[in-house]
Amino acid sequence: MSGPRKVLCIFCGQRRERAVEDIVSHWLAKEVGGEPPFFAGDDVTIIGNQVVARGKARPYGSAAALKLPQVCKPCNTGWMSLLERRAKPLLVPMIRGRGTSLTPAEQRIVAAWAQLKMISYDARRDPRSLPATTAHEFSQVRQPRESVLVLLGAFEGYGTGVGVPHARRVAAVAPIGTPVDVTRVSLGFGFLFIQVLDRHELCDWPIEMLAPSESCWVRCWPEWFPFTNLRWPPPVVIGRDSWWTIA
């Protein structure tokens, strides 16, 4: 009799017993209506503020289909499960459209959870946008990376809720004129809209320079200085018609 199937885990880098990761967790899928439809957009290239190429959005079906098979059981049932349990009570009020406040420590948990979703969603794409080392580096610290920007918005919502992951490949131009690769993933769950940006290269300018100027965002990561609580929702709610423009 053969033993458990093993996989080379993208997080720990070890070949261990396989555990298929639900990118949209069971609790999250239940919270937004069981198995909501979701959409994944093709890659978009942006130079400065100009859209150079835009792919066509494609419906993929149920959120239950979002699986990541390249994860080992120790990671899936260990630190990843712990992060889900810590993030759930912080996310649920926002998903339901209720105003809330997050302490700096809670902001760090939400930002780490958002980056985990970004890595997991990106890893199932072929080709990936994020460097292969990103998942392993994140698993070592299990905290938001310095190269990551996490923004929280309020979505108009769809009744019981719809999960809408949306991934892009962005070529941003730094002030000195040097192109910098940035991956941007937007996630919509119920009334909560999360946008995560990850800069691939090290450079002297801060990731905050990529933050959109719209008043529909509150910054979750990097932390504000002096450290203050985050209040959600932001002043402007993102409507259905403006989703693809902002995402």
Side-chain angles (χ1 to χ4, degrees), residues 153-166:
F155 188 45
E156 194 174 49
Y158 287 92
T160 57
V162 175
V164 189
H166 183 84

Side-chain angles (χ1 to χ4, degrees), residues 22 24-36 62-64 88 92 95-96 159-163 189-190:
D22 293 294
V24 178
S25 314
H26 290 297
W27 71 263
L28 181 56
K30 182 179 180 180
E31 184 64 36
V32 294
E35 296 184 356
S62 169
K88 178 181 176 180
V92 167
I95 292 172
R96 295 178 180 177
T160 57
V162 175
F189 301 113

Side-chain angles (χ1 to χ4, degrees), residues 1-7 16-18 73:
M1 182 181 295
S2 60
R5 182 177 177 181
K6 294 187 177 182
V7 64
R16 299 195 285 192
E17 183 178 350
R18 177 189 180 192
K73 188 173 182 179

Side-chain angles (χ1 to χ4, degrees), residues 142-239:
R142 302 167 191 175
Q143 293 288 326
R145 288 156 36 101
E146 293 183 0
S147 63
V148 169
L149 176 67
V150 180
L151 305 170
L152 304 182
F155 188 45
E156 194 174 49
Y158 287 92
T160 57
V162 175
V164 189
H166 183 84
R168 293 182 173 186
R169 175 82 171 192
V170 181
V173 177
I176 58 174
T178 304
V180 177
D181 280 339
V182 175
T183 296
R184 178 166 66 188
V185 173
S186 301
L187 307 167
F189 301 113
F191 294 94
L192 175 62
F193 188 12
I194 305 175
Q195 190 164 97
V196 191
L197 299 94
D198 193 333
R199 182 184 60 212
H200 301 179
E201 295 89 355
L202 295 176
C203 58
D204 294 333
W205 55 278
I207 185 66
E208 295 94 308
M209 294 188 67
L210 289 177
S213 59
E214 292 91 344
S215 56
C216 56
W217 302 107
V218 288
R219 194 178 84 187
C220 183
W221 183 266
E223 297 167 317
W224 290 101
F225 184 85
F227 301 129
T228 57
N229 288 359
L230 175 156
R231 295 190 179 277
W232 187 95
V236 177
V237 175
I238 300 168

